[in-house]
Amino acid sequence: MKLLLIASALLPSALALWPLPTSYTNGTTPLTLSKSFNIKIDIANPPADLVAAVSRAKGYLQNDKLEALVIDRGASSASAIAKAKSLPSLTLSLTGKGSVQSISAQAVAPLESRVEGANSTLGLFRGLATFGQIWFDLNGATYTLSAPIQISDSPAYPYRGFMLDTARNYFPVADIKRTIDAMSWVKINTLHWHIVDSQSFPLEVPGFLSLSQKGAYSATSVYSPSDVKDIITYAAARGIDVIPEIDTPGHTSVISKAFPEHIACAEATPWASFANEPPAGQLRLASEATVNFTGSLLKAAAGLFESHYFSTGGDEVNANCYTQDNETQASLESTNKTFAQALDTFVQSNHAALRSVGKSAVVWEEMVLANPVTLANDTIVMVWISSDDVQAVAETGYRIVHAASDYFYLDCGHGGWVGDFPTGNSWCDPFKTWQYAYSFDPTANLTAAQSELVIGGQSLLWTEQSSSANLDSTTWPRAASTAELFWSGPGGNVDTALPRLHEVVYRFRQRGVAANSLQPEWCALRPFACDLTA
Amino acid sequence: MKLLLIASALLPSALALWPLPTSYTNGTTPLTLSKSFNIKIDIANPPADLVAAVSRAKGYLQNDKLEALVIDRGASSASAIAKAKSLPSLTLSLTGKGSVQSISAQAVAPLESRVEGANSTLGLFRGLATFGQIWFDLNGATYTLSAPIQISDSPAYPYRGFMLDTARNYFPVADIKRTIDAMSWVKINTLHWHIVDSQSFPLEVPGFLSLSQKGAYSATSVYSPSDVKDIITYAAARGIDVIPEIDTPGHTSVISKAFPEHIACAEATPWASFANEPPAGQLRLASEATVNFTGSLLKAAAGLFESHYFSTGGDEVNANCYTQDNETQASLESTNKTFAQALDTFVQSNHAALRSVGKSAVVWEEMVLANPVTLANDTIVMVWISSDDVQAVAETGYRIVHAASDYFYLDCGHGGWVGDFPTGNSWCDPFKTWQYAYSFDPTANLTAAQSELVIGGQSLLWTEQSSSANLDSTTWPRAASTAELFWSGPGGNVDTALPRLHEVVYRFRQRGVAANSLQPEWCALRPFACDLTA
């Protein structure tokens, strides 16, 4: 991805780009956008989603109206801006010939074939996001003080995600789409959608409608196939792949509402003996009927999505639930299998069902560590329990997505949520600051070969204590910190990052995303003045 | 305050009232509100604010449309509701004769003369809030399953507050008014408005306009006299007194923008040597000119407010700032005063200025502990540093408001906010859960006589890391927990409180306040099912 602006003076030392590009140079010459500024597409028959992206980019340039984050908000640059040359247009072009793929097609391609850095419509889209971060407003003039600017850019890691749990509490489609827009502004390319869980089943799966009819929180707290289509289309046009997750065999209590025969220990009490959180309930993984049911359900759900990937979860399988379940014990006995063998069969069957419709599997770390099963070589493993587990996962040879609770869980640090627990803290306290996530080293303790297995990482919002009410402010700007870590690579400096991250906050707000304040505005307008040793 | 409803069956064990009334009984008979339900005021010439409050109460009854928080959201009660008697009207009346004060007049009266429990328009207003919590919606019917209901109620403590800091980050008037509405729903009666601080001076003070002109974050980030009038009028009509704070002599750096002669160590660096947070700057308390300036400023600011109270702050006075300030040292020498004597003169002068316009002083705990000064007997002292300091403050004999950081600071637990501090935690970590605040004992370690000094308590939102983006979700429902503590008295049970607090959340949302989720909705619909030992 390259940006070049043809066209000085008082800017803070860095352009406020987020994530930071691979390389850039800038001058100190003021430049404005022409009142008739246009973005031209120098591509024959440009894809419709690129045309639409250009239209949105022009909208941001017109509507952001973000004043520079300096004490006078840019006023002292007024005469320089008034005298500045104006940029009449930006031209998007690709090198080489041949057919041009749409952004959407590239967004959902397998990770290894996605081109985000250059010479693709997806690369151009990423460049548009960068271009939109260059400009400030002063009395209606859209300007930079930093021309000429030259940027080369490509991501350090192919997978940069955000996970949203829509099962503990439901989020309307509008929340998800607003989040997708925000993700695209900081070049996050994957929405890991933890759609359903033990508490609710908001997904309408063709052929399995009773699951959502009986398991959604309400008739309106559902994602219909057209909602899913809306979300994945919206996401893809913004360079984002939506990887769905239906967690199995644990975290499935709600399935008992419609298919009680497939769930062991459904709502058994005390819940803490049967599950990590209420309600208890797991798929009867040793039952052939349940194996078939699960494979069919996953296949039907997978048909709603375009992604090459589908997560079958696999975390927090509770052994006691199965030990106490007569049906499971009978199934194990009749098939002469151990629990581990039955789990292996269950997972292999599910993954085969998904592979039959073109999907590669994503799993949580237990599927290679605590409860290892047979997995295809292309399986992606998400580390969640602790970053300490990364090395062990790497030793299994599968591709790794960093999602460790000790760095990337946005929900931690708000105390325990279970009832009748007055002094309860949450297991993943404390709160994960943006600085802490930013300091993460994706290849710590890994060999060079193991490091190749790391395909990226993500922030995660589990929603026991979250809802529409705090979605934006809990997610942003912290998820942007992780986005820069995996786009720009590790080793970033929290001190120099902070002024740029303030700009993320202020620009997001101008675009309708309620990102939270990192500091008093006094500090936001005075880079480095609120540093510990300033 | 008494409520009596003339008119059963499947309700969870308690009415979901918040705060819990002093006493109540309820039956199990279904009752609906008549389609033509009316609230009558049986008072000759009722005050306009009572008439308006009744109109708002009717609006909530019509618009809340809150379905019961049970699994089927009330559907199984449909036939009982259809057959229920309907309540045609509610009548508000007062006993005795004589002139009737408005809600607004009572809301701003001295605490000791305020009647919230009975036989006042303010008491009726509190009753309307209770009445509004009784009803649920099923297919357009507004119903309870718990008639007849009889409630007697009055507050355990006269001061039940919420503090908002509008200096670290600015909050639009609409945010403050929305917060005032929410406060009134849970019978909070005081907005402690920490208006200005070292970072910004958003208050337009007549005669001192340069303070906001030069010290507000922007020309639009100000509270004009008409804004203040709007806010205090809005608050008073909702039974809420607005106690302003202009913190002195510390936390005043921003005054240097307009009056540099009055500020020591203005923006001195390293800030950490001169203040607890950037920017440094304190009033030159030993200077006669500054003493006069401050008294005049406080008096002018006090003129904007109706409250009987005004806080002059007094926290975190930094000694080094004054030691290093030549002007202050010269003043001390020329007046032959110690720092402590100068501070005493400064505070006495300020409080005298306020008293001349009818205001009693409120101060932070340092004014009786770390830097004790001469105070009038009616001064109210707020404990903030630690609840461990309550006993020492009580020993000084002044009235006490609980505002201790270890229980009531809503902002704690989100990590350090100063820059270049990658592993920084906040001094007041961890996050204060609603359960923890709820468990506070206001008279722990106090004698009976000392216990009489405790007039109440409050939640506080300091806004270094807060903004419009998270105001609602950070404040609610946690501030409601503290509201119940000080209305209903201590000793509440977090287990039985939780289902009621869920209702606060869900009802607030129906009214446009984005209260955050305490648990998965699965738990909210199943009281006690998510308890630790359920």
Side-chain angles (χ1 to χ4, degrees), chain A residues 142-193:
Chain A
T142 306
Y143 74 96
T144 177
L145 300 178
S146 308
I149 298 169
Q150 184 154 5
I151 296 170
S152 291
D153 205 3
S154 64
Y157 290 96
Y159 183 106
R160 305 171 308 279
F162 168 68
M163 192 216 77
L164 182 65
D165 162 14
T166 59
R168 273 57 179 244
N169 281 298
Y170 177 80
F171 291 78
V173 172
D175 281 349
I176 297 175
K177 290 169 76 171
R178 188 177 67 256
T179 301
I180 286 168
D181 272 313
M183 290 164 65
S184 77
W185 302 334
V186 292
K187 304 186 174 72
I188 294 174
N189 71 354
T190 308
L191 174 61
H192 169 192
W193 187 3

Side-chain angles (χ1 to χ4, degrees), chain B residues 326-355:
Chain B
N326 292 338
E327 289 81 347
T328 297
Q329 293 307 312
S331 297
L332 291 173
E333 201 164 324
S334 71
T335 56
N336 198 27
K337 283 185 176 167
T338 64
F339 167 74
Q341 290 168 329
L343 177 64
D344 195 54
T345 301
F346 174 83
V347 175
Q348 285 200 58
S349 167
N350 291 339
H351 289 190
L354 289 169
R355 189 164 302 278

Side-chain angles (χ1 to χ4, degrees), chain B residues 10-84:
Chain B
L10 309 163
L11 193 79
S13 57
L15 280 174
L17 307 175
W18 195 285
L20 209 56
T22 309
S23 70
Y24 73 94
T25 61
N26 68 278
T28 53
T29 304
L31 176 71
T32 60
L33 288 185
S34 162
K35 291 288 175 199
S36 60
F37 176 75
N38 192 21
I39 301 177
K40 299 175 182 171
I41 306 177
D42 182 20
I43 298 171
N45 303 315
D49 56 13
L50 181 61
V51 175
V54 164
S55 174
R56 289 198 307 278
K58 287 197 282 190
Y60 294 139
L61 291 169
Q62 283 161 13
N63 301 323
D64 276 2
K65 298 196 181 307
L66 174 63
E67 293 179 333
L69 294 186
V70 293
I71 297 173
D72 71 357
R73 306 308 296 266
S76 55
S77 303
S79 69
I81 293 166
K83 287 182 286 189

Side-chain angles (χ1 to χ4, degrees), chain A residues 520-521, chain B residues 165-169 197 199 217 251 277 462-464:
Chain A
E521 182 152 309
Chain B
D165 161 15
T166 58
R168 273 55 178 247
N169 281 299
D197 207 294
Q199 290 84 359
Y217 283 136
H251 289 272
E277 62 183 51
W462 301 102
T463 61
E464 288 87 351

Side-chain angles (χ1 to χ4, degrees), chain B residues 259-280:
Chain B
F259 299 97
E261 65 276 23
H262 294 311
I263 301 297
C265 68
E267 302 194 13
T269 57
W271 60 263
S273 300
F274 299 95
N276 281 26
E277 62 183 51

Side-chain angles (χ1 to χ4, degrees), chain A residues 226-403:
Chain A
S226 70
D227 290 333
V228 172
K229 180 81 180 166
D230 185 18
I231 288 168
I232 66 172
T233 304
Y234 195 87
R238 286 153 182 82
I240 292 171
D241 187 26
V242 179
I243 300 183
E245 177 183 354
I246 292 186
D247 201 349
T248 61
H251 290 273
T252 48
S253 178
V254 70
I255 292 176
S256 70
K257 305 284 187 198
F259 299 96
E261 67 275 24
H262 294 310
I263 300 296
C265 68
E267 302 195 14
T269 58
W271 60 261
S273 299
F274 299 95
N276 281 26
E277 62 182 50
Q282 303 185 149
L283 284 160
R284 287 194 166 119
L285 80 180
S287 148
E288 190 179 347
T290 300
V291 170
N292 291 337
F293 165 82
T294 309
S296 300
L297 170 62
L298 294 172
K299 202 162 142 178
L304 298 169
F305 294 86
E306 290 289 329
S307 179
H308 185 67
Y309 305 97
F310 194 104
S311 174
T312 61
D315 58 316
E316 298 188 316
V317 178
N318 183 291
N320 186 51
C321 170
Y322 291 125
T323 305
Q324 306 273 326
D325 184 52
N326 292 339
E327 288 81 348
T328 297
Q329 293 307 313
S331 297
L332 290 173
E333 202 164 323
S334 72
T335 56
N336 197 27
K337 282 186 178 169
T338 64
F339 167 74
Q341 289 169 328
L343 178 64
D344 195 54
T345 300
F346 175 83
V347 174
Q348 285 200 59
S349 167
N350 292 337
H351 288 190
L354 289 168
R355 189 164 303 276
S356 76
V357 289
K359 308 292 186 183
S360 292
V362 180
V363 295
W364 296 112
E365 63 173 276
E366 286 96 322
M367 295 289 94
V368 298
L369 297 182
N371 294 305
V373 294
T374 307
L375 299 168
N377 288 338
D378 67 351
T379 304
I380 294 172
V381 179
M382 293 186 165
V383 175
W384 71 273
I385 297 174
S386 166
S387 57
D388 292 340
D389 296 343
V390 169
Q391 197 176 7
V393 172
E395 284 165 9
T396 68
Y398 295 100
R399 287 181 295 175
I400 295 168
V401 167
H402 289 294

Side-chain angles (χ1 to χ4, degrees), chain A residues 168-169 217 270-271 279 413-414 417 419 431 464-465 467 469-470 509 514-517 519-522 530-532 534, chain B residues 168-169 217 270-271 279 413-414 417 419 431 435 464-465 467 469-470 509 514-517 519-522 530-532 534:
Chain A
R168 273 57 179 244
N169 281 298
Y217 283 135
W271 60 261
H414 294 102
W417 59 266
F431 182 85
E464 287 87 352
Q465 294 164 298
S467 60
N470 71 335
R509 288 181 185 164
N516 196 27
S517 290
Q519 292 189 320
E521 182 152 309
W522 192 90
C530 294
D531 284 3
L532 184 60
Chain B
R168 273 55 178 247
N169 281 299
Y217 283 136
W271 60 263
H414 294 104
W417 58 267
F431 182 85
Q435 298 96 323
E464 288 87 351
Q465 294 165 297
S467 62
N470 70 334
R509 288 181 186 164
N516 197 24
S517 290
Q519 292 189 321
E521 183 152 307
W522 192 90
C530 294
D531 285 4
L532 184 59

